[in-house]
Amino acid sequence: MKVLMLNGSSKKNGNTNRALLEIGAQLERESIEYEIFQIGGGPLRDCIGCRQCSEQGCVFTDDAVNEFIAKAKEADGFVFGTPVYYAHPSGRVLSFLDRVFYSSSRSFAFKPGASVAVARRGGTSASFDVLNKYFGISQMPVAGSTYWNLAHGRVPGEAELDEEGMQTMRNLARNLAWMMKCFEAGAKTGVALPQAERTFQTNFVR
């Protein structure tokens, strides 16, 4: 089994990445592989609702969105990490995930996910809530921890000094690993995935 993590910071080795590494180290102790996918600092498009998505993902191919989608199809669980700038997730991670989920949400269905927010001080819980919305609309079970999945730090390396934050990351990893193992055990005993109704899309605006 493998967890795919997204570092929504343009800083490859910042505090968001440090929180994800703490999760990854615990996942390895649970015999689960992980990969951190770096969103990077290059230009990144917003979703424009063009409805030109395909089996490969988004119609635009000049960034890493479709590469992430290809990896997501093979992953068994997810963690999305974001830095907090103005009491909200980074604009980059939201643009990235909007296109990922708009084009390929069914690749994530029934796979557990978790979000992580890292900030100097405020805005972490709001950012955590925003990222969790992607799971709720895509039939993804959400893994929790012993506190909200938050860590604090300003300059790179400071998040490691947040002992409760690092503890929260380790407990999150344990819970995510447990969920994944339970789902795998259920599949082996023949527990079928639920079938979703998709007939109705109510729109009261005429």
Side-chain angles (χ1 to χ4, degrees):
M1 288 184 288
K2 183 175 181 178
V3 170
L4 179 62
M5 296 196 266
L6 178 66
N7 180 5
S9 172
S10 57
K11 297 177 182 177
K12 183 177 180 179
N13 296 309
N15 287 312
T16 304
N17 191 66
R18 180 63 189 85
L20 297 179
L21 286 172
E22 192 72 14
I23 296 169
Q26 185 61 44
L27 287 172
E28 288 186 329
R29 297 184 193 105
E30 304 285 338
S31 301
I32 292 177
E33 297 179 48
Y34 78 94
E35 176 183 352
I36 298 177
F37 191 98
Q38 304 290 344
I39 201 170
L44 186 63
R45 295 176 179 268
D46 292 326
C47 180
I48 59 173
C50 66
R51 297 184 179 273
Q52 299 299 309
C53 312
S54 69
E55 289 295 320
Q56 285 70 47
C58 182
V59 66
F60 298 111
T61 59
D62 53 355
D63 53 34
V65 164
N66 289 345
E67 181 185 354
F68 182 80
I69 290 169
K71 291 177 179 290
K73 291 177 179 178
E74 305 301 320
D76 303 291
F78 301 92
V79 179
F80 301 152
T82 184
V84 178
Y85 298 140
Y86 290 92
H88 200 261
S90 75
R92 298 181 58 75
V93 76
L94 295 183
S95 294
F96 192 93
L97 289 174
D98 280 355
R99 287 170 55 210
V100 165
F101 278 85
Y102 194 93
S103 65
S104 305
S105 63
R106 295 190 188 186
S107 299
F108 294 81
F110 310 114
K111 299 176 181 179
S115 60
V116 169
V118 181
R120 180 191 70 84
R121 188 171 177 86
T124 48
S125 58
S127 299
F128 173 72
D129 289 342
V130 170
L131 290 189
N132 283 345
K133 301 282 194 304
Y134 292 101
F135 308 136
I137 199 172
S138 303
Q139 296 181 284
M140 296 177 67
V142 179
S145 186
T146 46
Y147 195 74
W148 295 287
N149 306 333
L150 318 174
H152 291 87
R154 184 177 68 85
V155 299
E158 280 189 348
E160 190 168 356
L161 304 177
D162 180 2
E163 293 184 4
E164 185 178 5
M166 294 298 102
Q167 173 182 267
T168 299
M169 299 304 131
R170 294 190 295 273
N171 287 333
L172 170 60
R174 293 184 181 100
N175 293 343
L176 182 60
W178 174 79
M179 290 176 71
M180 292 167 62
K181 291 172 183 178
C182 287
F183 294 166
E184 182 182 55
K188 287 179 179 179
T189 60
V191 177
L193 295 175
Q195 298 299 309
E197 295 183 33
R198 299 185 182 274
T199 305
F200 302 106
Q201 289 189 325
T202 302
N203 184 355
F204 292 108
V205 179
R206 296 289 185 261

